[in-house]
Coordinates of all heavy atoms in Angstrom, one line a residue:
A1 N -0.3 5.2 -6.6 CA -0.4 5.8 -7.9 C -0.6 4.8 -9.0 O -1.3 5.1 -10.0 CB 0.9 6.6 -8.1
M2 N 0.0 3.6 -8.9 CA -0.2 2.6 -9.9 C -1.6 2.0 -9.9 O -2.1 1.6 -11.0 CB 0.9 1.5 -9.8 CG 2.3 1.9 -10.1 SD 3.4 0.5 -10.3 CE 3.5 -0.1 -8.6
V3 N -2.2 2.0 -8.7 CA -3.6 1.5 -8.7 C -4.5 2.3 -9.6 O -5.4 1.7 -10.2 CB -4.1 1.6 -7.2 CG1 -5.6 1.4 -7.1 CG2 -3.4 0.6 -6.3
E4 N -4.2 3.6 -9.7 CA -5.1 4.4 -10.6 C -5.1 3.9 -12.0 O -6.1 4.0 -12.7 CB -4.7 5.9 -10.4 CG -5.7 6.8 -11.1 CD -5.6 8.2 -10.7 OE1 -4.5 8.6 -10.1 OE2 -6.5 9.0 -10.8
C5 N -4.0 3.5 -12.5 CA -3.9 3.0 -13.9 C -4.8 1.8 -14.1 O -5.5 1.8 -15.1 CB -2.4 2.6 -14.2 SG -1.2 3.9 -14.0
G6 N -4.9 0.9 -13.2 CA -5.8 -0.2 -13.3 C -7.2 0.2 -13.2 O -8.1 -0.3 -13.9
L7 N -7.5 1.1 -12.3 CA -8.9 1.6 -12.1 C -9.4 2.3 -13.3 O -10.6 2.1 -13.7 CB -9.0 2.6 -10.9 CG -8.7 2.0 -9.5 CD1 -8.9 3.1 -8.5 CD2 -9.7 0.9 -9.2
D8 N -8.5 3.0 -14.0 CA -9.0 3.7 -15.2 C -9.4 2.8 -16.3 O -10.3 3.0 -17.0 CB -7.9 4.7 -15.7 CG -7.7 5.9 -14.8 OD1 -8.6 6.2 -14.0 OD2 -6.7 6.6 -14.9
V9 N -8.6 1.7 -16.4 CA -9.0 0.7 -17.4 C -10.3 0.0 -17.1 O -11.2 -0.1 -17.9 CB -7.9 -0.4 -17.6 CG1 -8.3 -1.5 -18.5 CG2 -6.6 0.2 -18.1
A10 N -10.5 -0.3 -15.8 CA -11.7 -1.0 -15.4 C -12.9 -0.1 -15.6 O -14.0 -0.5 -16.0 CB -11.6 -1.4 -13.9
L11 N -12.7 1.2 -15.4 CA -13.8 2.2 -15.5 C -14.2 2.4 -17.0 O -15.4 2.7 -17.3 CB -13.5 3.5 -14.9 CG -13.5 3.5 -13.4 CD1 -12.9 4.8 -12.8 CD2 -15.0 3.4 -12.9
E12 N -13.3 2.1 -17.9 CA -13.6 2.3 -19.3 C -14.4 1.1 -19.8 O -15.1 1.2 -20.8 CB -12.3 2.4 -20.1 CG -11.6 3.7 -20.0 CD -10.4 3.8 -20.9 OE1 -10.4 3.3 -22.0 OE2 -9.4 4.4 -20.5
A13 N -14.2 -0.1 -19.2 CA -14.9 -1.3 -19.7 C -16.3 -1.4 -19.2 O -16.6 -1.1 -18.0 CB -14.1 -2.5 -19.3
D14 N -17.2 -1.7 -20.1 CA -18.6 -1.9 -19.7 C -18.7 -3.2 -18.9 O -18.5 -4.3 -19.4 CB -19.5 -2.0 -21.0 CG -20.9 -2.2 -20.7 OD1 -21.3 -2.8 -19.7 OD2 -21.7 -1.8 -21.5
I15 N -19.0 -3.1 -17.6 CA -19.0 -4.3 -16.7 C -20.0 -5.4 -17.2 O -19.8 -6.6 -17.0 CB -19.3 -3.9 -15.3 CG1 -19.0 -5.1 -14.3 CG2 -20.7 -3.3 -15.1 CD1 -17.6 -5.6 -14.3
E16 N -21.1 -4.9 -17.9 CA -22.1 -6.0 -18.3 C -21.4 -6.8 -19.5 O -21.7 -8.0 -19.6 CB -23.3 -5.3 -18.8 CG -24.1 -4.6 -17.7 CD -24.5 -5.5 -16.6 OE1 -24.7 -6.7 -16.8 OE2 -24.7 -5.0 -15.4
L17 N -20.7 -6.1 -20.4 CA -20.0 -6.8 -21.4 C -18.9 -7.7 -20.8 O -18.7 -8.8 -21.2 CB -19.3 -5.9 -22.4 CG -20.3 -5.1 -23.3 CD1 -19.5 -4.2 -24.2 CD2 -21.1 -6.1 -24.2
V18 N -18.2 -7.2 -19.8 CA -17.2 -8.0 -19.1 C -17.8 -9.3 -18.5 O -17.3 -10.4 -18.7 CB -16.5 -7.2 -18.0 CG1 -15.6 -8.0 -17.1 CG2 -15.6 -6.1 -18.6
R19 N -18.9 -9.1 -17.8 CA -19.6 -10.2 -17.2 C -20.1 -11.2 -18.3 O -19.9 -12.5 -18.1 CB -20.8 -9.8 -16.4 CG -21.6 -10.8 -15.8 CD -20.8 -11.7 -14.8 NE -21.7 -12.6 -14.1 CZ -21.2 -13.7 -13.4 NH1 -19.9 -14.0 -13.4 NH2 -22.1 -14.4 -12.7
A20 N -20.6 -10.8 -19.4 CA -21.1 -11.6 -20.4 C -20.0 -12.5 -21.0 O -20.1 -13.7 -21.2 CB -21.9 -10.9 -21.5
K21 N -18.9 -11.8 -21.3 CA -17.8 -12.5 -21.9 C -17.1 -13.5 -20.9 O -16.7 -14.6 -21.2 CB -16.7 -11.5 -22.4 CG -15.6 -12.3 -23.1 CD -14.5 -11.3 -23.7 CE -13.3 -12.0 -24.3 NZ -12.3 -11.1 -24.7
S22 N -17.1 -13.1 -19.6 CA -16.6 -14.0 -18.6 C -17.3 -15.3 -18.5 O -16.8 -16.4 -18.5 CB -16.6 -13.3 -17.2 OG -16.4 -14.2 -16.2
L23 N -18.6 -15.1 -18.5 CA -19.5 -16.4 -18.5 C -19.3 -17.2 -19.8 O -19.3 -18.4 -19.7 CB -21.0 -15.9 -18.4 CG -21.3 -15.3 -17.0 CD1 -22.7 -14.7 -17.1 CD2 -21.2 -16.3 -15.9
A24 N -19.2 -16.5 -20.9 CA -19.0 -17.3 -22.2 C -17.6 -18.0 -22.2 O -17.5 -19.2 -22.6 CB -19.1 -16.3 -23.4
L25 N -16.6 -17.3 -21.7 CA -15.3 -18.0 -21.6 C -15.3 -19.2 -20.7 O -14.7 -20.2 -21.0 CB -14.2 -17.0 -21.1 CG -13.8 -15.8 -22.1 CD1 -12.9 -14.8 -21.4 CD2 -13.1 -16.4 -23.3
A26 N -16.0 -19.0 -19.6 CA -16.1 -20.1 -18.6 C -16.9 -21.3 -19.2 O -16.5 -22.5 -19.0 CB -16.7 -19.6 -17.3
D27 N -18.0 -21.0 -19.8 CA -18.8 -22.1 -20.4 C -17.9 -22.8 -21.4 O -18.0 -24.1 -21.5 CB -20.0 -21.5 -21.1 CG -21.1 -21.0 -20.1 OD1 -21.0 -21.4 -18.9 OD2 -22.0 -20.3 -20.5
L28 N -17.2 -22.1 -22.3 CA -16.3 -22.7 -23.3 C -15.3 -23.6 -22.6 O -15.0 -24.7 -23.0 CB -15.7 -21.6 -24.1 CG -14.7 -22.1 -25.2 CD1 -15.4 -22.9 -26.2 CD2 -14.0 -20.9 -25.8
F29 N -14.6 -23.0 -21.6 CA -13.6 -23.7 -20.9 C -14.1 -25.0 -20.3 O -13.4 -26.1 -20.5 CB -13.0 -22.8 -19.8 CG -11.7 -23.4 -19.2 CD1 -10.5 -23.3 -19.9 CD2 -11.7 -23.9 -17.9 CE1 -9.3 -23.8 -19.3 CE2 -10.6 -24.4 -17.3 CZ -9.4 -24.3 -18.0
I30 N -15.2 -25.0 -19.6 CA -15.8 -26.2 -19.0 C -16.1 -27.2 -20.1 O -15.8 -28.4 -20.0 CB -17.0 -25.8 -18.2 CG1 -16.6 -25.0 -17.0 CG2 -17.8 -27.1 -17.8 CD1 -17.8 -24.3 -16.3
A31 N -16.7 -26.7 -21.2 CA -17.2 -27.7 -22.3 C -15.9 -28.3 -22.9 O -15.9 -29.5 -23.2 CB -18.0 -26.9 -23.3
L32 N -14.9 -27.5 -23.2 CA -13.7 -28.1 -23.8 C -13.0 -29.1 -22.9 O -12.4 -30.1 -23.4 CB -12.8 -27.0 -24.3 CG -13.2 -26.1 -25.5 CD1 -12.3 -25.0 -25.7 CD2 -13.4 -27.0 -26.7
V33 N -12.9 -28.8 -21.6 CA -12.2 -29.7 -20.7 C -13.0 -31.0 -20.6 O -12.4 -32.1 -20.6 CB -12.1 -29.0 -19.3 CG1 -11.7 -30.1 -18.2 CG2 -11.1 -27.9 -19.3
R34 N -14.3 -30.9 -20.6 CA -15.1 -32.2 -20.6 C -14.9 -33.0 -21.9 O -14.7 -34.2 -21.9 CB -16.5 -31.9 -20.4 CG -16.9 -31.5 -19.0 CD -18.3 -31.1 -18.8 NE -18.7 -31.0 -17.4 CZ -19.7 -30.3 -17.0 NH1 -20.5 -29.6 -17.8 NH2 -20.0 -30.3 -15.7
E35 N -14.8 -32.2 -23.0 CA -14.7 -32.9 -24.3 C -13.3 -33.4 -24.6 O -13.1 -34.5 -25.0 CB -15.1 -31.9 -25.4 CG -14.9 -32.4 -26.8 CD -15.1 -31.3 -27.9 OE1 -15.9 -30.4 -27.6 OE2 -14.5 -31.4 -28.9
R36 N -12.3 -32.6 -24.2 CA -10.9 -33.0 -24.6 C -10.2 -33.7 -23.5 O -9.2 -34.3 -23.8 CB -10.2 -31.7 -25.0 CG -10.9 -30.8 -26.0 CD -11.0 -31.5 -27.4 NE -9.6 -31.4 -28.0 CZ -9.3 -32.1 -29.1 NH1 -10.3 -32.9 -29.6 NH2 -8.1 -32.1 -29.6
C37 N -10.6 -33.5 -22.2 CA -9.8 -34.0 -21.1 C -10.7 -34.9 -20.2 O -10.3 -35.1 -19.0 CB -9.2 -32.9 -20.3 SG -8.3 -31.7 -21.2
G38 N -11.8 -35.3 -20.7 CA -12.8 -36.0 -19.8 C -12.3 -37.3 -19.2 O -12.8 -37.7 -18.1
E39 N -11.3 -37.9 -19.8 CA -10.9 -39.2 -19.3 C -9.8 -39.1 -18.2 O -9.3 -40.1 -17.7 CB -10.3 -40.0 -20.5 CG -9.1 -39.4 -21.1 CD -8.6 -40.1 -22.4 OE1 -8.0 -41.2 -22.3 OE2 -8.9 -39.5 -23.5

């Protein structure tokens, strides 16, 4: 029954927007780690 709560949220979100933001967050994370933690 609790699974359905998560599924309903996932179905409301546009997966293409989710994917685009996921890639942007990862690009940012990688860039900042290199810039701020490179040593």
